[in-house]
Amino acid sequence: DWSSDVCSSDLCQRLNAEGTSVALDYLGENVTSLDEARGSLENYLRTMDRIAESGLNADVSIKITQFGVDLSMDACLENVRALAARAKSIGSRVEIDMESTQYTDRTLEIAAKMAKEFGCVRCVIQAYLHRSEADIAFTNEHGIPVRLCKGAYNEPPSVAIPAKPDVDTNYSHLMMILFDKGNFPAIATHDEKLIAEALRYVKEQGIGRDQFEFQMLYGIRRDLQKMLIEQGYRLRLYVP
């Protein structure tokens, strides 16, 4: 039982005690049946129960291909809706990961519906996509919090920015838009330069430390994680 293994261990409690929030991710994409999709939902519902029982400062991170979008958009919506309802009932959140670009429009559609119905979702936007500034305009318009990451899928240059320095420049640009117009953005990066830019900008603009958070992967760049916590910034660790 994945939810039992993760949440009943002292890992999440220890991370919370260190001052970090947690995003729990059950690995697995592109289920091949609606029964598998339902199984993914059940895993996450049990995890929500564990979060509530243990009083954890934690949420969950999902992929719509885990919830059956390849098989049925309606079934996927119902599965995500059930999880979002549970998250709202315990004061948690569902973070909706972004997958390859064949899923971008559907991911945004689901995120918008869940934001309207429940308000307790956050959607990932990938900075390496040419379309991402327009997508952030969409999420801002609908009040959807964004987790900004660089992006990791293999996409053609017609879709994604090919050069890493240009991706970093776009990340910085999108980050400023989220700080100015977004709703509790999550700055998801281990890039020291981008973190420094974020810290400089929020200080210049007088943006409160309770108005955004940083996100990193569990176990990576503990030095940066410790620095941010010691300076009083919010940090959420992504725990697969």
Side-chain angles (χ1 to χ4, degrees):
D1 182 344
W2 168 81
S3 60
S4 220
D5 291 343
V6 173
C7 295
S8 65
S9 74
D10 66 355
L11 173 60
C12 292
Q13 287 91 341
R14 177 169 59 79
L15 293 175
N16 282 177
E18 292 174 359
T20 62
S21 306
V22 176
L24 293 167
D25 174 35
Y26 177 59
L27 295 176
E29 308 174 35
N30 300 98
V31 297
T32 57
S33 73
L34 292 180
D35 285 342
E36 283 186 73
R38 182 70 191 182
S40 294
L41 170 62
E42 294 297 337
N43 265 320
Y44 276 107
L45 290 174
R46 286 194 294 270
T47 300
M48 284 290 184
D49 290 343
R50 298 278 182 169
I51 289 170
E53 291 165 6
S54 302
L56 297 174
N57 184 352
D59 62 25
V60 296
S61 190
I62 70 169
K63 293 178 174 64
I64 63 170
T65 59
Q66 289 175 297
F67 280 62
V69 75
D70 289 320
L71 304 163
S72 166
M73 181 66 163
D74 288 341
C76 181
L77 271 168
E78 287 307 307
N79 287 333
V80 178
R81 183 174 283 116
L83 185 61
R86 182 70 61 85
K88 184 174 183 179
S89 73
I90 70 168
S92 187
R93 178 193 293 113
V94 177
E95 309 226 10
I96 304 177
D97 284 344
M98 192 62 75
E99 300 176 71
S100 64
T101 50
Q102 65 178 302
Y103 299 107
T104 304
D105 287 332
R106 283 175 285 178
T107 302
L108 289 169
E109 179 183 347
I110 290 171
K113 288 180 184 294
M114 296 304 101
K116 183 176 181 180
E117 292 180 34
F118 302 102
C120 58
V121 299
R122 179 189 274 141
C123 187
V124 170
I125 297 294
Q126 302 174 108
Y128 75 154
L129 298 181
H130 297 300
R131 62 175 289 170
S132 289
E133 185 168 354
D135 289 341
I136 283 178
F138 174 86
T139 57
N140 287 347
E141 178 184 352
H142 288 81
I144 305 168
V146 165
R147 179 207 296 159
L148 183 64
C149 68
K150 290 188 182 182
Y153 290 87
N154 185 18
E155 303 283 2
S158 59
V159 170
I161 301 167
K164 183 183 181 301
D166 295 332
V167 174
D168 293 349
T169 297
N170 199 47
Y171 189 106
S172 179
H173 172 64
L174 298 176
M175 178 172 66
M176 304 312 175
I177 295 173
L178 288 170
F179 280 138
D180 291 343
K181 300 178 181 179
N183 175 20
F184 196 71
I187 308 305
T189 183
H190 304 94
D191 188 317
E192 291 181 68
K193 180 181 177 182
L194 290 171
I195 291 170
E197 285 186 22
L199 296 177
R200 174 188 57 77
Y201 192 77
V202 297
K203 289 175 183 176
E204 287 178 358
Q205 301 300 315
I207 296 170
R209 297 177 185 183
D210 60 346
Q211 294 178 259
F212 69 99
E213 69 183 23
F214 290 99
Q215 289 196 11
M216 296 184 186
L217 297 173
Y218 171 66
I220 297 179
R221 291 309 305 265
R222 289 282 290 163
D223 55 333
L224 289 177
Q225 295 172 15
K226 183 179 179 183
M227 179 269 290
L228 290 170
I229 291 298
E230 288 178 347
Q231 293 185 17
Y233 290 98
R234 295 188 179 198
L235 174 66
R236 186 176 302 275
L237 296 184
Y238 189 92
V239 180

